[in-house]
Amino acid sequence: MLKRLLTDSVSLVFGNLETVFRAAGTWFVLQFLLMLLLQFTIGSGDQQAENPSAVAMFALVVMVFSMVASASISVAWHRFGLLGERPGIIHLKFGSLELRFVLKMLLLAVILMAVWFAVLLIHTLVGVPAVSAVVAILVFIFSIPAFFRLSLILPATAVERPINLGEAYAMSEGMGWQLFLATFLLSLPFVLGGALLEFVVGLAASGLPLLLLQIKVMILNLLVQIIVTVLGISVLTAGYRVAMERQGSNPDPSVFQ
């Protein structure tokens, strides 16, 4: 199962890089421009500390933008991976389907926050670090795979075959840890590569113009973020595909070939 999730996700992304940049490229360019706007209007460090209201407002704008962009990219990529539907060259679609997707994302976020709020509440009531640590470990063991299983409501929503949380959990039996591990393993090389890049830039900063280095790093990070984001989405795409095959349904097989 894990091997299939990995191979299907990798082949879907790296076999269709043009579609990857169609689905996500424009949104990430806008995000890049938004971050530049932040640097020029609010500044950094002490400047941000002097203007907390502007920072809070900009943080809200970034949060809403990120949610809208994530929903648009995810819907487009799930529909490509499961239905073979290709997004346009400039993809900035956000309609009723993407709005429903956002609501499902928020539902999952509320569930995750409720679980960790319960852990904090237990820690507050018990007040014994060892007990709290054991509880946190147990919650991690049970909640992480459950969360990934419940997340299959997202690709189902994207292809307009909505299912409830109970159905998502039932149809993904035995897939929770595999979905988590596939996401982790696919992201790890890029996280390590990003850290190495920052280290190399730090070493080279004394010999090259700092602004030039920052721009190059931002562009490279932008490309890496696109790949990592779509790989993460692809794990759910592949997981939903496997779950549907178990039930006798067969999404477009040509996309994964």
Side-chain angles (χ1 to χ4, degrees):
M1 173 71 73
L2 177 59
K3 181 180 178 180
R4 179 176 177 186
L5 291 174
L6 291 171
T7 55
D8 279 5
S9 300
V10 169
S11 65
L12 182 60
V13 172
F14 291 100
N16 300 279
L17 284 176
E18 179 187 353
T19 307
V20 169
F21 290 103
R22 282 188 173 209
T26 307
W27 282 112
F28 273 88
V29 169
L30 290 180
Q31 181 187 12
F32 177 77
L33 296 176
L34 195 61
M35 293 301 104
L36 287 180
L37 180 63
L38 172 63
Q39 292 294 324
F40 285 113
T41 58
I42 300 180
S44 59
D46 294 337
Q47 292 174 305
Q48 292 186 13
E50 294 173 359
N51 197 359
S53 59
V55 173
M57 180 60 69
F58 205 94
L60 178 62
V61 171
V62 170
M63 183 181 69
V64 173
F65 177 86
S66 298
M67 192 174 299
V68 169
S70 178
S72 180
I73 294 168
S74 297
V75 168
W77 192 250
H78 286 314
R79 292 185 71 84
F80 168 68
L82 296 166
L83 303 177
E85 181 181 298
R86 294 180 183 272
I89 295 176
I90 298 178
H91 175 72
L92 290 173
K93 182 181 178 182
F94 189 85
S96 58
L97 178 57
E98 287 76 15
L99 179 58
R100 292 196 296 273
F101 195 92
V102 166
L103 295 177
K104 295 297 176 67
M105 289 169 58
L106 290 174
L107 174 61
L108 291 170
V110 168
I111 292 172
L112 194 60
M113 287 188 294
V115 170
W116 289 108
F117 176 77
V119 173
L120 292 175
L121 182 61
I122 292 173
H123 172 71
T124 302
L125 294 176
V126 175
V128 180
V131 174
S132 299
V134 171
V135 171
I137 292 171
L138 291 175
V139 168
F140 175 83
I141 291 173
F142 289 101
S143 66
I144 294 300
F147 178 80
F148 274 86
R149 291 174 64 178
L150 295 176
S151 294
L152 291 192
I153 63 173
L154 297 178
T157 300
V159 297
E160 299 178 273
R161 299 179 184 177
I163 55 177
N164 59 40
L165 293 172
E167 290 171 323
Y169 192 80
M171 70 188 293
S172 58
E173 183 178 359
M175 295 175 59
W177 279 114
Q178 284 81 1
L179 290 168
F180 167 74
L181 288 173
T183 303
F184 175 78
L185 291 173
L186 290 173
S187 302
L188 185 60
F190 295 95
V191 173
L192 295 177
L196 179 61
L197 176 64
E198 294 291 340
F199 175 73
V200 172
V201 167
L203 293 178
S206 59
L208 292 173
L210 183 58
L211 180 60
L212 179 62
L213 279 173
Q214 288 177 332
I215 292 175
K216 288 183 176 181
V217 170
M218 289 177 71
I219 293 174
L220 186 56
N221 282 338
L222 183 68
L223 297 176
V224 171
Q225 285 177 34
I226 291 174
I227 297 297
V228 171
T229 298
V230 179
L231 276 172
I233 298 169
S234 297
V235 173
L236 292 182
T237 305
Y240 179 77
R241 177 182 172 83
V242 171
M244 292 299 291
E245 287 177 353
R246 287 177 174 180
Q247 297 188 334
S249 180
N250 187 28
D252 185 359
S254 63
V255 180
F256 284 87
Q257 295 176 356

